[in-house]
Amino acid sequence: MTTKLKDLFYTFLNIAASTQKLGINLIRVAILIIFVWIGGLKFYNYEAEGIVPFVANSPFMSFFYTKSAPEYKEYKLKEGEFNEAKHQWHVENNTYGFSHGLGILIMGIGILTFLGIFSPKIGLVGAGLAIIMTIGTLSFLVTTPEVWVPDLGSGEHGFPLLTGAGRLVIKDTAIIAGALVVLSDCAQRILKKK
């Protein structure tokens, strides 16, 4: 490697090393955008109806609903579809009420995590809650049958073949990793102030 090329490489390394704080803050912004957007969607019926298989099958959340799994399978709606009888079932199930509360929680976690830019203590709380929430979300890979391709005759089914719902859930591994980086940053900043 020539001296000039070596100098360019080390210049690049110095620039890359100096972006760590920016990268951590961009993780906070990404968590804010994802959580506020997804949390806001929880106020729409199609999104509330879409999370029913996850919540109904979860041993940690199913008590929020009045109906037991797998009854919900008879009342599934396609995104954007409206059926009065199925809609009424979701009203009675507390589908919409739970989803609204979850939406507020998710948006709050996103905001708290973002505020870690300005206050490490607030950010620590937000990142901790984001980690707990994503662990809960990732648990759906174990509790929700709809995350795995069903056996419908093609010979391609079960683990490791994720459905659309499963692919949506597995992405939370990136969120939990980002939240852990943010948590660590907040903890380091708090310790430096001691």
Side-chain angles (χ1 to χ4, degrees):
M1 189 181 276
T2 67
T3 304
K4 191 172 187 175
L5 195 56
K6 198 180 229 182
D7 289 345
L8 281 172
F9 178 66
Y10 282 107
T11 299
F12 166 76
L13 289 178
N14 282 314
I15 291 169
S18 70
T19 64
Q20 184 174 6
K21 184 175 180 180
L22 173 64
I24 291 170
N25 285 336
L26 287 176
I27 292 171
R28 288 182 172 99
V29 170
I31 289 174
L32 174 74
I33 292 169
I34 293 166
F35 282 39
V36 169
W37 196 332
I38 298 297
L41 289 177
K42 298 289 185 262
F43 288 87
Y44 290 89
N45 289 352
Y46 88 95
E47 176 68 14
E49 295 154 1
I51 65 170
V52 169
F54 300 114
V55 177
N57 286 294
S58 170
F60 310 111
M61 289 186 250
S62 60
F63 68 90
F64 286 108
Y65 288 162
T66 61
K67 313 284 185 182
S68 300
E71 184 179 339
Y72 66 87
K73 291 181 180 186
E74 298 173 38
Y75 299 94
K76 279 185 163 185
L77 292 159
K78 295 177 185 167
E79 291 179 356
E81 176 187 10
F82 182 77
N83 174 299
E84 182 60 42
K86 291 179 179 182
H87 172 77
Q88 190 56 42
W89 182 90
H90 285 286
V91 169
E92 294 167 7
N93 186 46
N94 192 35
T95 297
Y96 307 118
F98 170 74
S99 186
H100 297 167
L102 181 62
I104 291 168
L105 176 66
I106 292 170
M107 289 188 289
I109 292 170
I111 292 166
L112 290 172
T113 303
F114 172 76
L115 290 175
I117 292 173
F118 312 105
S119 168
K121 289 180 182 176
I122 293 172
L124 187 78
V125 171
L129 290 171
I131 289 167
I132 292 167
M133 192 190 82
T134 52
I135 289 170
T137 303
L138 289 169
S139 75
F140 296 149
L141 291 172
V142 177
T143 62
T144 309
E146 284 85 351
V147 300
W148 305 105
V149 174
D151 185 0
L152 299 177
S154 73
E156 297 178 346
H157 59 88
F159 179 85
L161 306 178
L162 295 166
T163 63
R167 294 189 298 271
L168 176 73
V169 170
I170 199 72
K171 291 177 186 174
D172 272 22
T173 56
I175 293 174
I176 199 169
L180 187 60
V181 169
V182 169
L183 181 84
S184 173
D185 176 69
C186 289
Q188 289 175 25
R189 288 167 51 210
I190 291 167
L191 288 171
K192 280 181 185 175
K193 288 183 179 181
K194 275 190 144 186

